[in-house]
mmCIF file of all heavy atoms in Angstrom:
data_model
loop_
_atom_site.group_PDB
_atom_site.id
_atom_site.type_symbol
_atom_site.label_atom_id
_atom_site.label_comp_id
_atom_site.label_asym_id
_atom_site.label_seq_id
_atom_site.Cartn_x
_atom_site.Cartn_y
_atom_site.Cartn_z
ATOM 1 N N THR A 11 -17.110 8.279 -2.236
ATOM 2 C CA THR A 11 -15.861 7.533 -2.138
ATOM 3 C C THR A 11 -14.767 8.403 -2.748
ATOM 4 O O THR A 11 -15.041 9.197 -3.642
ATOM 5 C CB THR A 11 -15.943 6.194 -2.895
ATOM 6 O OG1 THR A 11 -16.355 6.435 -4.238
ATOM 7 C CG2 THR A 11 -16.927 5.245 -2.229
ATOM 8 N N GLY A 12 -13.550 8.235 -2.288
ATOM 9 C CA GLY A 12 -12.477 9.100 -2.768
ATOM 10 C C GLY A 12 -11.435 8.333 -3.543
ATOM 11 O O GLY A 12 -10.334 8.087 -3.040
ATOM 12 N N ARG A 13 -11.772 7.953 -4.770
ATOM 13 C CA ARG A 13 -10.845 7.174 -5.582
ATOM 14 C C ARG A 13 -9.983 8.083 -6.455
ATOM 15 O O ARG A 13 -10.326 9.236 -6.695
ATOM 16 C CB ARG A 13 -11.621 6.198 -6.475
ATOM 17 C CG ARG A 13 -12.628 5.320 -5.750
ATOM 18 C CD ARG A 13 -12.008 4.526 -4.623
ATOM 19 N NE ARG A 13 -12.989 3.640 -4.002
ATOM 20 C CZ ARG A 13 -12.839 3.086 -2.820
ATOM 21 N NH1 ARG A 13 -11.751 3.313 -2.102
ATOM 22 N NH2 ARG A 13 -13.771 2.292 -2.325
ATOM 23 N N HIS A 14 -8.887 7.516 -6.962
ATOM 24 C CA HIS A 14 -7.968 8.241 -7.828
ATOM 25 C C HIS A 14 -8.699 8.729 -9.080
ATOM 26 O O HIS A 14 -9.280 7.930 -9.822
ATOM 27 C CB HIS A 14 -6.808 7.313 -8.207
ATOM 28 C CG HIS A 14 -5.812 7.921 -9.142
ATOM 29 N ND1 HIS A 14 -5.748 7.585 -10.482
ATOM 30 C CD2 HIS A 14 -4.837 8.848 -8.934
ATOM 31 C CE1 HIS A 14 -4.767 8.265 -11.048
ATOM 32 N NE2 HIS A 14 -4.197 9.033 -10.133
ATOM 33 N N HIS A 15 -8.702 10.039 -9.297
ATOM 34 C CA HIS A 15 -9.337 10.647 -10.469
ATOM 35 C C HIS A 15 -10.818 10.260 -10.598
ATOM 36 O O HIS A 15 -11.365 10.228 -11.713
ATOM 37 C CB HIS A 15 -8.606 10.248 -11.753
ATOM 38 C CG HIS A 15 -7.246 10.852 -11.893
ATOM 39 N ND1 HIS A 15 -6.460 10.636 -13.007
ATOM 40 C CD2 HIS A 15 -6.524 11.662 -11.073
ATOM 41 C CE1 HIS A 15 -5.302 11.279 -12.854
ATOM 42 N NE2 HIS A 15 -5.329 11.911 -11.685
ATOM 43 N N GLN A 16 -11.482 9.983 -9.489
ATOM 44 C CA GLN A 16 -12.821 9.402 -9.556
ATOM 45 C C GLN A 16 -13.816 10.246 -10.347
ATOM 46 O O GLN A 16 -14.479 9.755 -11.257
ATOM 47 C CB GLN A 16 -13.377 9.168 -8.142
ATOM 48 C CG GLN A 16 -14.797 8.584 -8.172
ATOM 49 C CD GLN A 16 -15.384 8.366 -6.802
ATOM 50 O OE1 GLN A 16 -14.664 8.174 -5.827
ATOM 51 N NE2 GLN A 16 -16.708 8.404 -6.702
ATOM 52 N N ILE A 17 -13.957 11.527 -9.984
ATOM 53 C CA ILE A 17 -14.939 12.382 -10.644
ATOM 54 C C ILE A 17 -14.629 12.482 -12.135
ATOM 55 O O ILE A 17 -15.512 12.326 -12.989
ATOM 56 C CB ILE A 17 -14.979 13.772 -9.993
ATOM 57 C CG1 ILE A 17 -15.531 13.661 -8.564
ATOM 58 C CG2 ILE A 17 -15.816 14.743 -10.825
ATOM 59 C CD1 ILE A 17 -15.459 14.967 -7.783
ATOM 60 N N ARG A 18 -13.380 12.716 -12.461
ATOM 61 C CA ARG A 18 -12.987 12.898 -13.852
ATOM 62 C C ARG A 18 -13.243 11.630 -14.659
ATOM 63 O O ARG A 18 -13.785 11.674 -15.780
ATOM 64 C CB ARG A 18 -11.519 13.298 -13.903
ATOM 65 C CG ARG A 18 -11.227 14.607 -13.174
ATOM 66 C CD ARG A 18 -9.747 14.782 -12.858
ATOM 67 N NE ARG A 18 -8.942 14.895 -14.080
ATOM 68 C CZ ARG A 18 -7.616 14.962 -14.062
ATOM 69 N NH1 ARG A 18 -6.958 14.897 -12.899
ATOM 70 N NH2 ARG A 18 -6.949 15.079 -15.187
ATOM 71 N N ALA A 19 -12.882 10.471 -14.114
ATOM 72 C CA ALA A 19 -13.052 9.212 -14.834
ATOM 73 C C ALA A 19 -14.521 8.825 -14.964
ATOM 74 O O ALA A 19 -14.961 8.360 -16.028
ATOM 75 C CB ALA A 19 -12.274 8.104 -14.127
ATOM 76 N N GLN A 20 -15.306 9.018 -13.893
ATOM 77 C CA GLN A 20 -16.717 8.637 -13.966
ATOM 78 C C GLN A 20 -17.490 9.514 -14.942
ATOM 79 O O GLN A 20 -18.299 9.015 -15.737
ATOM 80 C CB GLN A 20 -17.366 8.690 -12.579
ATOM 81 C CG GLN A 20 -17.055 7.474 -11.721
ATOM 82 C CD GLN A 20 -17.903 7.402 -10.470
ATOM 83 O OE1 GLN A 20 -17.597 8.053 -9.481
ATOM 84 N NE2 GLN A 20 -18.964 6.605 -10.517
ATOM 85 N N PHE A 21 -17.276 10.820 -14.898
ATOM 86 C CA PHE A 21 -17.995 11.694 -15.822
ATOM 87 C C PHE A 21 -17.583 11.432 -17.267
ATOM 88 O O PHE A 21 -18.429 11.450 -18.172
ATOM 89 C CB PHE A 21 -17.798 13.163 -15.441
ATOM 90 C CG PHE A 21 -18.789 13.648 -14.424
ATOM 91 C CD1 PHE A 21 -18.569 13.456 -13.072
ATOM 92 C CD2 PHE A 21 -19.965 14.275 -14.815
ATOM 93 C CE1 PHE A 21 -19.488 13.876 -12.125
ATOM 94 C CE2 PHE A 21 -20.890 14.702 -13.884
ATOM 95 C CZ PHE A 21 -20.657 14.499 -12.531
ATOM 96 N N ALA A 22 -16.303 11.175 -17.504
ATOM 97 C CA ALA A 22 -15.872 10.848 -18.869
ATOM 98 C C ALA A 22 -16.514 9.547 -19.336
ATOM 99 O O ALA A 22 -16.955 9.431 -20.490
ATOM 100 C CB ALA A 22 -14.354 10.751 -18.923
ATOM 101 N N HIS A 23 -16.579 8.560 -18.450
ATOM 102 C CA HIS A 23 -17.184 7.275 -18.802
ATOM 103 C C HIS A 23 -18.655 7.430 -19.175
ATOM 104 O O HIS A 23 -19.157 6.719 -20.048
ATOM 105 C CB HIS A 23 -17.042 6.308 -17.622
ATOM 106 C CG HIS A 23 -17.750 5.003 -17.816
ATOM 107 N ND1 HIS A 23 -17.274 4.009 -18.637
ATOM 108 C CD2 HIS A 23 -18.932 4.541 -17.300
ATOM 109 C CE1 HIS A 23 -18.108 2.982 -18.616
ATOM 110 N NE2 HIS A 23 -19.129 3.279 -17.816
ATOM 111 N N HIS A 24 -19.340 8.362 -18.518
ATOM 112 C CA HIS A 24 -20.762 8.592 -18.787
ATOM 113 C C HIS A 24 -20.979 9.681 -19.843
ATOM 114 O O HIS A 24 -22.035 10.301 -19.895
ATOM 115 C CB HIS A 24 -21.482 8.940 -17.489
ATOM 116 C CG HIS A 24 -21.580 7.783 -16.533
ATOM 117 N ND1 HIS A 24 -22.565 6.829 -16.630
ATOM 118 C CD2 HIS A 24 -20.789 7.410 -15.492
ATOM 119 C CE1 HIS A 24 -22.396 5.935 -15.665
ATOM 120 N NE2 HIS A 24 -21.330 6.262 -14.962
ATOM 121 N N ASN A 25 -19.954 9.895 -20.674
ATOM 122 C CA ASN A 25 -20.017 10.823 -21.818
ATOM 123 C C ASN A 25 -20.274 12.263 -21.401
ATOM 124 O O ASN A 25 -20.917 13.026 -22.124
ATOM 125 C CB ASN A 25 -21.078 10.362 -22.822
ATOM 126 C CG ASN A 25 -20.757 8.998 -23.401
ATOM 127 O OD1 ASN A 25 -19.628 8.736 -23.809
ATOM 128 N ND2 ASN A 25 -21.752 8.120 -23.423
ATOM 129 N N LEU A 26 -19.746 12.649 -20.249
ATOM 130 C CA LEU A 26 -19.849 14.021 -19.759
ATOM 131 C C LEU A 26 -18.472 14.482 -19.275
ATOM 132 O O LEU A 26 -18.279 14.795 -18.098
ATOM 133 C CB LEU A 26 -20.868 14.117 -18.613
ATOM 134 C CG LEU A 26 -22.324 13.795 -18.967
ATOM 135 C CD1 LEU A 26 -23.152 13.618 -17.702
ATOM 136 C CD2 LEU A 26 -22.915 14.899 -19.841
ATOM 137 N N PRO A 27 -17.484 14.532 -20.159
ATOM 138 C CA PRO A 27 -16.127 14.878 -19.718
ATOM 139 C C PRO A 27 -16.045 16.297 -19.176
ATOM 140 O O PRO A 27 -16.773 17.184 -19.605
ATOM 141 C CB PRO A 27 -15.297 14.723 -20.991
ATOM 142 C CG PRO A 27 -16.281 14.952 -22.105
ATOM 143 C CD PRO A 27 -17.567 14.356 -21.614
ATOM 144 N N LEU A 28 -15.154 16.493 -18.227
ATOM 145 C CA LEU A 28 -14.984 17.806 -17.611
ATOM 146 C C LEU A 28 -14.252 18.758 -18.557
ATOM 147 O O LEU A 28 -13.320 18.359 -19.266
ATOM 148 C CB LEU A 28 -14.200 17.689 -16.303
ATOM 149 C CG LEU A 28 -15.034 17.435 -15.030
ATOM 150 C CD1 LEU A 28 -15.811 16.136 -15.131
ATOM 151 C CD2 LEU A 28 -14.139 17.473 -13.796
ATOM 152 N N TYR A 29 -14.677 20.010 -18.516
ATOM 153 C CA TYR A 29 -14.018 21.059 -19.286
ATOM 154 C C TYR A 29 -12.548 21.140 -18.877
ATOM 155 O O TYR A 29 -12.204 21.163 -17.680
ATOM 156 C CB TYR A 29 -14.711 22.403 -19.045
ATOM 157 C CG TYR A 29 -14.015 23.574 -19.690
ATOM 158 C CD1 TYR A 29 -14.290 23.933 -21.004
ATOM 159 C CD2 TYR A 29 -13.071 24.326 -18.975
ATOM 160 C CE1 TYR A 29 -13.647 25.006 -21.602
ATOM 161 C CE2 TYR A 29 -12.424 25.402 -19.569
ATOM 162 C CZ TYR A 29 -12.709 25.739 -20.873
ATOM 163 O OH TYR A 29 -12.073 26.798 -21.453
ATOM 164 N N GLY A 30 -11.686 21.191 -19.875
ATOM 165 C CA GLY A 30 -10.255 21.391 -19.622
ATOM 166 C C GLY A 30 -9.519 20.179 -19.102
ATOM 167 O O GLY A 30 -8.355 20.295 -18.706
ATOM 168 N N ASP A 31 -10.151 18.995 -19.102
ATOM 169 C CA ASP A 31 -9.493 17.800 -18.570
ATOM 170 C C ASP A 31 -8.587 17.207 -19.644
ATOM 171 O O ASP A 31 -9.031 16.543 -20.583
ATOM 172 C CB ASP A 31 -10.544 16.776 -18.135
ATOM 173 C CG ASP A 31 -9.939 15.666 -17.294
ATOM 174 O OD1 ASP A 31 -8.722 15.437 -17.400
ATOM 175 O OD2 ASP A 31 -10.693 15.036 -16.527
ATOM 176 N N GLN A 32 -7.297 17.427 -19.492
ATOM 177 C CA GLN A 32 -6.333 17.021 -20.506
ATOM 178 C C GLN A 32 -6.145 15.505 -20.575
ATOM 179 O O GLN A 32 -5.628 14.997 -21.573
ATOM 180 C CB GLN A 32 -4.981 17.696 -20.241
ATOM 181 C CG GLN A 32 -5.052 19.207 -20.118
ATOM 182 C CD GLN A 32 -5.507 19.892 -21.403
ATOM 183 O OE1 GLN A 32 -5.217 19.424 -22.497
ATOM 184 N NE2 GLN A 32 -6.234 21.010 -21.281
ATOM 185 N N ARG A 33 -6.571 14.777 -19.540
ATOM 186 C CA ARG A 33 -6.412 13.322 -19.535
ATOM 187 C C ARG A 33 -7.650 12.583 -20.021
ATOM 188 O O ARG A 33 -7.548 11.538 -20.661
ATOM 189 C CB ARG A 33 -6.056 12.827 -18.131
ATOM 190 C CG ARG A 33 -4.651 13.168 -17.685
ATOM 191 C CD ARG A 33 -4.398 12.612 -16.294
ATOM 192 N NE ARG A 33 -3.104 13.062 -15.800
ATOM 193 C CZ ARG A 33 -2.039 12.293 -15.701
ATOM 194 N NH1 ARG A 33 -2.111 11.025 -16.083
ATOM 195 N NH2 ARG A 33 -0.907 12.772 -15.217
ATOM 196 N N TYR A 34 -8.824 13.083 -19.680
ATOM 197 C CA TYR A 34 -10.048 12.321 -19.919
ATOM 198 C C TYR A 34 -10.991 12.970 -20.925
ATOM 199 O O TYR A 34 -12.007 12.374 -21.283
ATOM 200 C CB TYR A 34 -10.796 12.106 -18.592
ATOM 201 C CG TYR A 34 -10.016 11.300 -17.579
ATOM 202 C CD1 TYR A 34 -9.223 11.925 -16.616
ATOM 203 C CD2 TYR A 34 -10.068 9.910 -17.594
ATOM 204 C CE1 TYR A 34 -8.503 11.189 -15.688
ATOM 205 C CE2 TYR A 34 -9.358 9.160 -16.668
ATOM 206 C CZ TYR A 34 -8.575 9.807 -15.712
ATOM 207 O OH TYR A 34 -7.852 9.070 -14.793
ATOM 208 N N ASN A 35 -10.708 14.166 -21.372
ATOM 209 C CA ASN A 35 -11.565 14.861 -22.332
ATOM 210 C C ASN A 35 -10.786 15.044 -23.639
ATOM 211 O O ASN A 35 -9.883 15.875 -23.728
ATOM 212 C CB ASN A 35 -12.006 16.212 -21.779
ATOM 213 C CG ASN A 35 -13.006 16.923 -22.682
ATOM 214 O OD1 ASN A 35 -13.219 16.526 -23.827
ATOM 215 N ND2 ASN A 35 -13.602 17.987 -22.173
ATOM 216 N N LYS A 36 -11.145 14.280 -24.648
ATOM 217 C CA LYS A 36 -10.417 14.318 -25.922
ATOM 218 C C LYS A 36 -10.569 15.662 -26.630
ATOM 219 O O LYS A 36 -9.766 16.012 -27.498
ATOM 220 C CB LYS A 36 -10.909 13.197 -26.839
ATOM 221 C CG LYS A 36 -10.612 11.804 -26.310
ATOM 222 C CD LYS A 36 -11.153 10.727 -27.257
ATOM 223 C CE LYS A 36 -10.853 9.333 -26.713
ATOM 224 N NZ LYS A 36 -11.388 8.261 -27.587
ATOM 225 N N SER A 37 -11.616 16.430 -26.250
ATOM 226 C CA SER A 37 -11.840 17.729 -26.894
ATOM 227 C C SER A 37 -11.173 18.880 -26.147
ATOM 228 O O SER A 37 -11.271 20.030 -26.592
ATOM 229 C CB SER A 37 -13.346 17.997 -27.003
ATOM 230 O OG SER A 37 -13.979 17.007 -27.793
ATOM 231 N N ALA A 38 -10.516 18.588 -25.040
ATOM 232 C CA ALA A 38 -9.876 19.654 -24.269
ATOM 233 C C ALA A 38 -8.743 20.283 -25.076
ATOM 234 O O ALA A 38 -7.956 19.581 -25.728
ATOM 235 C CB ALA A 38 -9.347 19.112 -22.953
ATOM 236 N N VAL A 39 -8.681 21.597 -25.027
ATOM 237 C CA VAL A 39 -7.642 22.341 -25.743
ATOM 238 C C VAL A 39 -6.453 22.544 -24.807
ATOM 239 O O VAL A 39 -6.640 22.895 -23.633
ATOM 240 C CB VAL A 39 -8.193 23.709 -26.205
ATOM 241 C CG1 VAL A 39 -7.100 24.541 -26.856
ATOM 242 C CG2 VAL A 39 -9.370 23.499 -27.153
ATOM 243 N N PRO A 40 -5.222 22.323 -25.287
ATOM 244 C CA PRO A 40 -4.057 22.563 -24.427
ATOM 245 C C PRO A 40 -4.082 23.966 -23.839
ATOM 246 O O PRO A 40 -4.357 24.939 -24.528
ATOM 247 C CB PRO A 40 -2.875 22.375 -25.390
ATOM 248 C CG PRO A 40 -3.395 21.424 -26.428
ATOM 249 C CD PRO A 40 -4.851 21.793 -26.602
ATOM 250 N N GLY A 41 -3.834 24.048 -22.559
ATOM 251 C CA GLY A 41 -3.871 25.334 -21.869
ATOM 252 C C GLY A 41 -5.176 25.594 -21.133
ATOM 253 O O GLY A 41 -5.225 26.464 -20.259
ATOM 254 N N GLU A 42 -6.252 24.867 -21.474
ATOM 255 C CA GLU A 42 -7.508 25.022 -20.733
ATOM 256 C C GLU A 42 -7.337 24.497 -19.310
ATOM 257 O O GLU A 42 -6.692 23.474 -19.080
ATOM 258 C CB GLU A 42 -8.642 24.253 -21.414
ATOM 259 C CG GLU A 42 -9.191 24.910 -22.660
ATOM 260 C CD GLU A 42 -10.322 24.113 -23.268
ATOM 261 O OE1 GLU A 42 -10.490 22.934 -22.919
ATOM 262 O OE2 GLU A 42 -11.034 24.679 -24.123
ATOM 263 N N GLN A 43 -7.942 25.203 -18.358
ATOM 264 C CA GLN A 43 -7.854 24.816 -16.954
ATOM 265 C C GLN A 43 -8.973 23.839 -16.610
ATOM 266 O O GLN A 43 -10.137 24.078 -16.908
ATOM 267 C CB GLN A 43 -7.961 26.050 -16.050
ATOM 268 C CG GLN A 43 -8.004 25.759 -14.558
ATOM 269 C CD GLN A 43 -6.755 25.031 -14.084
ATOM 270 O OE1 GLN A 43 -5.638 25.477 -14.343
ATOM 271 N NE2 GLN A 43 -6.942 23.904 -13.419
ATOM 272 N N LEU A 44 -8.619 22.732 -15.977
ATOM 273 C CA LEU A 44 -9.617 21.763 -15.515
ATOM 274 C C LEU A 44 -10.649 22.467 -14.624
ATOM 275 O O LEU A 44 -10.293 23.126 -13.645
ATOM 276 C CB LEU A 44 -8.941 20.642 -14.727
ATOM 277 C CG LEU A 44 -9.879 19.635 -14.069
ATOM 278 C CD1 LEU A 44 -10.599 18.798 -15.108
ATOM 279 C CD2 LEU A 44 -9.122 18.756 -13.072
ATOM 280 N N ALA A 45 -11.923 22.298 -14.951
ATOM 281 C CA ALA A 45 -13.007 22.938 -14.185
ATOM 282 C C ALA A 45 -13.550 21.960 -13.162
ATOM 283 O O ALA A 45 -14.633 21.384 -13.313
ATOM 284 C CB ALA A 45 -14.115 23.427 -15.111
ATOM 285 N N LEU A 46 -12.772 21.731 -12.113
ATOM 286 C CA LEU A 46 -13.161 20.872 -10.998
ATOM 287 C C LEU A 46 -12.716 21.548 -9.714
ATOM 288 O O LEU A 46 -11.532 21.875 -9.559
ATOM 289 C CB LEU A 46 -12.522 19.488 -11.130
ATOM 290 C CG LEU A 46 -12.799 18.512 -9.981
ATOM 291 C CD1 LEU A 46 -14.288 18.208 -9.851
ATOM 292 C CD2 LEU A 46 -11.992 17.216 -10.174
ATOM 293 N N TRP A 47 -13.658 21.753 -8.791
ATOM 294 C CA TRP A 47 -13.372 22.548 -7.598
ATOM 295 C C TRP A 47 -14.081 21.956 -6.380
ATOM 296 O O TRP A 47 -15.306 21.757 -6.407
ATOM 297 C CB TRP A 47 -13.842 23.986 -7.824
ATOM 298 C CG TRP A 47 -13.413 24.943 -6.761
ATOM 299 C CD1 TRP A 47 -14.062 25.231 -5.592
ATOM 300 C CD2 TRP A 47 -12.216 25.734 -6.745
ATOM 301 N NE1 TRP A 47 -13.358 26.144 -4.856
ATOM 302 C CE2 TRP A 47 -12.217 26.480 -5.540
ATOM 303 C CE3 TRP A 47 -11.160 25.892 -7.634
ATOM 304 C CZ2 TRP A 47 -11.198 27.366 -5.213
ATOM 305 C CZ3 TRP A 47 -10.140 26.779 -7.311
ATOM 306 C CH2 TRP A 47 -10.163 27.505 -6.116
ATOM 307 N N ALA A 48 -13.331 21.674 -5.343
ATOM 308 C CA ALA A 48 -13.886 21.194 -4.076
ATOM 309 C C ALA A 48 -14.382 22.411 -3.293
ATOM 310 O O ALA A 48 -13.600 23.064 -2.606
ATOM 311 C CB ALA A 48 -12.830 20.440 -3.281
ATOM 312 N N TYR A 49 -15.676 22.708 -3.414
ATOM 313 C CA TYR A 49 -16.153 23.985 -2.857
ATOM 314 C C TYR A 49 -16.648 23.890 -1.418
ATOM 315 O O TYR A 49 -16.799 24.914 -0.750
ATOM 316 C CB TYR A 49 -17.238 24.580 -3.753
ATOM 317 C CG TYR A 49 -18.616 23.973 -3.618
ATOM 318 C CD1 TYR A 49 -19.519 24.463 -2.679
ATOM 319 C CD2 TYR A 49 -19.024 22.931 -4.435
ATOM 320 C CE1 TYR A 49 -20.789 23.906 -2.562
ATOM 321 C CE2 TYR A 49 -20.279 22.387 -4.325
ATOM 322 C CZ TYR A 49 -21.163 22.877 -3.385
ATOM 323 O OH TYR A 49 -22.420 22.332 -3.265
ATOM 324 N N ALA A 50 -16.905 22.683 -0.901
ATOM 325 C CA ALA A 50 -17.388 22.568 0.478
ATOM 326 C C ALA A 50 -16.869 21.282 1.100
ATOM 327 O O ALA A 50 -16.863 20.227 0.477
ATOM 328 C CB ALA A 50 -18.908 22.605 0.534
ATOM 329 N N LEU A 51 -16.440 21.389 2.348
ATOM 330 C CA LEU A 51 -15.978 20.233 3.110
ATOM 331 C C LEU A 51 -16.583 20.310 4.501
ATOM 332 O O LEU A 51 -16.411 21.302 5.210
ATOM 333 C CB LEU A 51 -14.448 20.222 3.202
ATOM 334 C CG LEU A 51 -13.819 19.150 4.107
ATOM 335 C CD1 LEU A 51 -14.138 17.757 3.583
ATOM 336 C CD2 LEU A 51 -12.307 19.351 4.204
ATOM 337 N N THR A 52 -17.306 19.264 4.884
ATOM 338 C CA THR A 52 -17.912 19.183 6.211
ATOM 339 C C THR A 52 -17.237 18.058 6.976
ATOM 340 O O THR A 52 -17.083 16.942 6.464
ATOM 341 C CB THR A 52 -19.422 18.910 6.116
ATOM 342 O OG1 THR A 52 -20.045 19.977 5.395
ATOM 343 C CG2 THR A 52 -20.045 18.823 7.506
ATOM 344 N N LEU A 53 -16.833 18.352 8.208
ATOM 345 C CA LEU A 53 -16.154 17.363 9.041
ATOM 346 C C LEU A 53 -16.457 17.626 10.502
ATOM 347 O O LEU A 53 -16.992 18.684 10.868
ATOM 348 C CB LEU A 53 -14.643 17.393 8.783
ATOM 349 C CG LEU A 53 -13.922 18.743 8.876
ATOM 350 C CD1 LEU A 53 -13.570 19.112 10.319
ATOM 351 C CD2 LEU A 53 -12.654 18.734 8.041
ATOM 352 N N GLU A 54 -16.120 16.664 11.331
ATOM 353 C CA GLU A 54 -16.212 16.857 12.780
ATOM 354 C C GLU A 54 -14.845 17.279 13.292
ATOM 355 O O GLU A 54 -13.838 16.613 13.036
ATOM 356 C CB GLU A 54 -16.652 15.563 13.471
ATOM 357 C CG GLU A 54 -16.819 15.721 14.976
ATOM 358 C CD GLU A 54 -17.188 14.417 15.653
ATOM 359 O OE1 GLU A 54 -18.397 14.115 15.723
ATOM 360 O OE2 GLU A 54 -16.268 13.699 16.117
ATOM 361 N N HIS A 55 -14.795 18.407 14.015
ATOM 362 C CA HIS A 55 -13.523 18.870 14.550
ATOM 363 C C HIS A 55 -12.928 17.787 15.437
ATOM 364 O O HIS A 55 -13.633 17.193 16.261
ATOM 365 C CB HIS A 55 -13.721 20.164 15.344
ATOM 366 C CG HIS A 55 -12.442 20.843 15.711
ATOM 367 N ND1 HIS A 55 -11.654 20.414 16.755
ATOM 368 C CD2 HIS A 55 -11.802 21.908 15.155
ATOM 369 C CE1 HIS A 55 -10.591 21.211 16.850
ATOM 370 N NE2 HIS A 55 -10.651 22.115 15.880
ATOM 371 N N PRO A 56 -11.646 17.481 15.288
ATOM 372 C CA PRO A 56 -11.062 16.326 15.986
ATOM 373 C C PRO A 56 -11.046 16.423 17.507
ATOM 374 O O PRO A 56 -10.959 15.392 18.183
ATOM 375 C CB PRO A 56 -9.642 16.257 15.420
ATOM 376 C CG PRO A 56 -9.363 17.616 14.884
ATOM 377 C CD PRO A 56 -10.676 18.143 14.400
ATOM 378 N N THR A 57 -11.120 17.616 18.068
ATOM 379 C CA THR A 57 -11.144 17.730 19.537
ATOM 380 C C THR A 57 -12.421 18.396 20.048
ATOM 381 O O THR A 57 -12.950 18.015 21.081
ATOM 382 C CB THR A 57 -9.928 18.528 20.051
ATOM 383 O OG1 THR A 57 -9.936 19.839 19.469
ATOM 384 C CG2 THR A 57 -8.631 17.818 19.714
ATOM 385 N N LEU A 58 -12.934 19.381 19.324
ATOM 386 C CA LEU A 58 -14.156 20.059 19.761
ATOM 387 C C LEU A 58 -15.394 19.191 19.534
ATOM 388 O O LEU A 58 -16.435 19.420 20.150
ATOM 389 C CB LEU A 58 -14.331 21.380 19.002
ATOM 390 C CG LEU A 58 -13.221 22.416 19.163
ATOM 391 C CD1 LEU A 58 -13.502 23.630 18.282
ATOM 392 C CD2 LEU A 58 -13.089 22.834 20.627
#
């Protein structure tokens, strides 16, 4: 499902906050980059 901040909020709720998450990880240091990356997307081509 694609909810607002879903991955970040769910992992924080389950005590596994994302590295560098300035909103959901209380231990994140200012300047750290959020370590969340959409590395693969599979879809059906709209015409092919």
Side-chain angles (χ1 to χ4, degrees):
T11 54
R13 308 304 183 197
H14 178 255
H15 290 182
Q16 179 181 334
I17 293 173
R18 299 162 65 185
Q20 281 191 278
F21 273 85
H23 174 75
H24 291 277
N25 298 313
L26 296 167
L28 271 60
Y29 174 87
D31 193 337
Q32 306 296 327
R33 288 181 186 253
Y34 298 94
N35 185 348
K36 295 179 180 179
S37 299
V39 176
E42 284 181 344
Q43 175 60 52
L44 174 68
L46 177 62
W47 189 272
Y49 78 88
L51 173 63
T52 300
L53 52 83
E54 182 183 273
H55 191 282
T57 59
L58 300 177

